[in-house]
Amino acid sequence: MAELTLEDIAKQVGVSRSTVSRVVNGSPNVSPEVRLQVEEAIRITGFHPNAAARSLASQRTRVIGLVLPRSVSSFFTDPFFPQLTQGIAVGCNANDLSLSLFLVTNKEDEDKIMPRISRSGMLDGILVQSGRADDPLMERLTNSRIPCVVLGRPFNHDCFNYIDVDNVKAAYSATKHLIDLGYTRIATITGSHGSTVTLDRIEGYVNALTEAGFVVQPSLISKGEFSETSGYEAMKSLLPHKPDAVFIASDLMASGAIRALQDSGLHVPEDIALVGFDDIPLAALTKIRLTTIRQPITQIGSKGVELLIDLIENGSQPPRNFILDTELIVRDSCGAKLRQKK
Amino acid sequence: MAELTLEDIAKQVGVSRSTVSRVVNGSPNVSPEVRLQVEEAIRITGFHPNAAARSLASQRTRVIGLVLPRSVSSFFTDPFFPQLTQGIAVGCNANDLSLSLFLVTNKEDEDKIMPRISRSGMLDGILVQSGRADDPLMERLTNSRIPCVVLGRPFNHDCFNYIDVDNVKAAYSATKHLIDLGYTRIATITGSHGSTVTLDRIEGYVNALTEAGFVVQPSLISKGEFSETSGYEAMKSLLPHKPDAVFIASDLMASGAIRALQDSGLHVPEDIALVGFDDIPLAALTKIRLTTIRQPITQIGSKGVELLIDLIENGSQPPRNFILDTELIVRDSCGAKLRQKK
DNA sequence: TTACAGATTGAGAGCGCTCCCAAGAATGTC
DNA sequence: GACATTCTTGGGAGCGCTCTCAATCTGTAA
């Protein structure tokens, strides 16, 4: 069968195309009887308006894009992204939006995908995961006039609408927690170089140490890149400097760090205490349950969708941002329980 | 500035809309000089054809959907799905397709999403992750005429185009491996009830045992549901029956099982040997490196895209399927190395 | 010179919808 | 009863593209 059109339904009921369109779009200006008849016809035939025609006429597609830049390489290793995606999907479903996924894996992808994203009226708006500060994608995206919400604080943050958590504060409270427990050689394993997330978390770490009167030692700052393996390596490189506690910028890296410590015959938290970041499901399941900073990952996604919808409907001046709360989840890896007993 | 149209470019170069359209679509019937001029104008203006108008006129959207049914609840816990998604995304990028993601989280979602998927001409085709056998979504999808490729063998497999691995053979080889190593009380932890994946893997397990002359003991078959926690529980419930080896239907469940064994003071592989399934990155990183069946996850995705494109272009009769190869990756958890030494 | 094939181009008719405008029906007001 | 007001409805003009068909323009052979 050929696809049904508004016109077909109209003919069937004996009204005009316009009236059927009104019913479909929930316009109030239709008499109750006619509305009922039309609705019945739509139900029986299973008619559904053609999306392309709708978009063309209304200049709205009801599709938003989620862009994960090249610099976000850990989409399929770090549970953070699937969870974020899930949050976004839920937000889309709730608002009758479709979600287009743009996973940029290399330069060619970027060149191919960009025009599809920015022009061409195929998307009403986009959500971008903020990656590295110097990611050229961000600039290309700003240049295109499409409404855009950044997930995570972008570098030039006053030009963008974004959703983020207060990474400085979160990292501060993680580090402060370790200080309060009496550790004195507190190291950190950072996220990948050049992202605001990483910068902010380092800042929070430094703030807490400074405030407590500690000297920040570069040898106790080890660079990871959000992967399990990088956590392993970073921990290994930290060991010669004898830290007694480590704040680690992601739970995935923390699990790598734990592995490194096990390989070296060290115990958590007796020999070295750890605090992670994210509170991924794994964090509560490792043998040594991870003390960590819980991010409202799903909420970041749904809040992002919400803001984007508002932008699409009401314009985006001036740029807005929402900073969501984090929470310190105390489990075993920080040694809090151990120390209490003493 | 208002969005540019074909007509604008045409006017600028002094040709007709049709000619510009020909250039944009790479039609051969354009004189080289004109083509060059038009291309130049397009380049300078940054013109990009409107997707909605294109879809409307051509009845093609160059968008495919990825549907993850409600019964696939582990999208954001099991790395399998992100990796699959990645494979699909790469396939899409390579073929200039956009990917729409439909994460069905509950019944209302399904009702809202279905019409958007099946009619409305917003998708050229869909990829569906096969979930439970009785998933009503599958039927609804078949009824809609949209080209469709199932990832994983669907229940009524002769009605569908699908991509799968030979789960029976893979599970057979995993179990056989344990048998060959001399284990005699080989248990299994299955995937979630009612999926073909689970059924097939059980079948392979049973086949191997039967072939070796073992009696299949129901008490040695424990039901999981692909989550870490379910692996933990399943392993715990298996312990009273004293298995000496376990074939586990996913690596994620295997990591739960390892945790259960650690909690019980048992050692892998000395006390109990394990073989997992999937070969997720984690498998090589656990303290006891996991012997497992490697699935070509990314390839399943890209092959799915390939088949779907073919279906869209050339119709889908008769249904086709591709069965990809798996590979047994021998690491430490099966005790092979231990046994060699003896 | 005429004819004809082949290449190149343009015009026109949609694709199925939205949205504006005006016509007509129904209701209210004095 | 005449007029204004509101509600309901239909028609038409696009949205920006594709695709068919016919027109024009070459070049070549008769």
Side-chain angles (χ1 to χ4, degrees), chain A residues 97 99 109 116 259 285, chain B residues 93 97 99 101 116 259 285:
Chain A
L97 254 35
L99 178 64
D109 274 7
R116 268 195 279 148
R259 193 162 56 89
L285 299 175
Chain B
N93 290 346
L97 253 36
L99 177 64
L101 186 63
R116 267 194 281 148
R259 192 162 56 90
L285 299 176

Side-chain angles (χ1 to χ4, degrees), chain B residues 6 17 21 25 54 57:
Chain B
L6 270 191
R17 191 180 15 135
S21 171
N25 292 296
R54 239 177 165 174

Side-chain angles (χ1 to χ4, degrees), chain B residues 17-338:
Chain B
R17 191 180 15 135
S18 306
T19 302
V20 180
S21 171
R22 284 189 194 98
V23 173
V24 168
N25 292 296
S27 151
N29 301 320
V30 182
S31 70
E33 314 90 68
V34 174
R35 157 163 288 130
L36 236 54
Q37 283 180 57
V38 174
E39 278 170 351
E40 182 65 6
I42 291 178
R43 208 185 49 71
I44 292 175
T45 56
F47 165 77
H48 203 264
N50 179 287
R54 239 177 165 174
S55 307
L56 181 58
S58 66
Q59 313 282 32
R60 287 293 275 321
T61 62
R62 300 210 65 83
V63 179
I64 65 172
L66 168 60
V67 182
L68 296 167
R70 197 160 23 123
S71 48
V72 176
S73 51
S74 39
F75 174 69
F76 67 112
T77 21
D78 198 321
F80 179 87
F81 295 102
Q83 209 170 331
L84 183 67
T85 307
Q86 162 118 4
I88 294 168
V90 169
C92 284
N93 290 346
N95 291 282
D96 246 320
L97 253 36
S98 291
L99 177 64
S100 252
L101 186 63
F102 297 91
L103 263 183
V104 183
T105 54
N106 54 45
K107 182 73 171 67
E108 293 115 66
D109 273 6
E110 195 173 307
D111 290 337
K112 275 178 118 176
I113 285 178
M114 266 310 295
R116 267 194 281 148
I117 295 175
S118 58
R119 293 165 207 288
S120 88
M122 122 176 267
L123 261 26
D124 283 347
I126 48 178
L127 254 24
V128 196
Q129 170 66 34
S130 87
R132 292 175 44 195
D134 58 349
D135 198 318
L137 191 76
M138 292 300 288
E139 203 180 337
R140 297 175 77 171
L141 249 22
T142 338
N143 291 341
S144 79
R145 311 218 160 285
I146 187 168
C148 174
V149 169
V150 184
L151 303 173
R153 184 170 65 84
F155 213 69
N156 262 328
H157 56 94
D158 26 338
C159 315
F160 292 94
N161 296 281
Y162 67 92
I163 311 284
D164 201 7
V165 298
D166 190 336
N167 281 298
V168 178
K169 195 170 118 195
Y172 170 89
S173 72
T175 313
K176 180 80 162 40
H177 176 66
L178 291 170
I179 294 171
D180 290 347
L181 289 171
Y183 299 104
T184 54
R185 293 190 55 77
I186 302 173
T188 187
I189 296 177
T190 75
S192 32
H193 189 67
S195 71
T196 53
V197 180
T198 298
L199 264 27
D200 288 354
R201 291 185 193 167
I202 293 176
E203 188 178 331
Y205 161 81
V206 169
N207 286 355
L209 290 187
T210 312
E211 186 193 83
F214 287 105
V215 177
V216 176
Q217 299 183 36
S219 62
L220 289 181
I221 299 180
S222 185
K223 186 177 148 280
E225 46 181 23
F226 289 124
S227 69
E228 207 269 1
T229 331
S230 75
Y232 182 94
E233 304 292 346
M235 191 71 232
K236 282 277 184 188
S237 77
L238 232 32
L239 286 180
H241 305 101
K242 310 264 179 224
D244 57 3
V246 190
F247 162 58
I248 305 174
S250 86
D251 288 349
L252 196 64
M253 291 196 291
S255 79
I258 291 178
R259 192 162 56 90
L261 292 171
Q262 285 177 336
D263 280 4
S264 307
L266 293 168
H267 294 278
V268 180
E270 293 82 355
D271 303 316
I272 292 191
L274 301 181
V275 177
F277 208 109
D278 285 344
D279 197 27
I280 60 177
L282 181 73
L285 299 176
T286 40
K287 196 179 167 198
I288 303 106
R289 291 165 58 243
L290 211 55
T291 291
T292 189
I293 300 283
R294 174 177 297 166
Q295 291 203 69
I297 304 179
T298 315
Q299 228 188 94
I300 294 176
S302 55
K303 190 75 190 169
V305 173
E306 212 175 282
L307 176 55
L308 184 57
I309 291 173
D310 190 65
L311 255 47
I312 292 168
E313 282 169 2
N314 311 314
S316 63
Q317 282 306 323
R320 271 171 292 166
N321 60 72
F322 291 90
I323 307 297
L324 306 181
D325 282 336
T326 58
E327 187 188 353
L328 177 71
I329 307 291
V330 178
R331 297 202 184 90
D332 306 333
S333 70
C334 60
K337 287 161 193 170
L338 218 68

Side-chain angles (χ1 to χ4, degrees), chain A residues 177-199:
Chain A
H177 176 68
L178 291 170
I179 293 172
D180 290 346
L181 288 171
Y183 298 104
T184 55
R185 292 191 56 78
I186 302 174
T188 187
I189 296 178
T190 75
S192 31
H193 188 66
S195 70
T196 53
V197 181
T198 298
L199 262 29

Side-chain angles (χ1 to χ4, degrees), chain A residues 233-255:
Chain A
E233 304 292 348
M235 190 70 233
K236 282 277 184 189
S237 76
L238 233 31
L239 287 180
H241 305 100
K242 308 268 180 221
D244 57 4
V246 190
F247 162 57
I248 306 175
S250 87
D251 288 349
L252 196 65
M253 289 196 292
S255 80

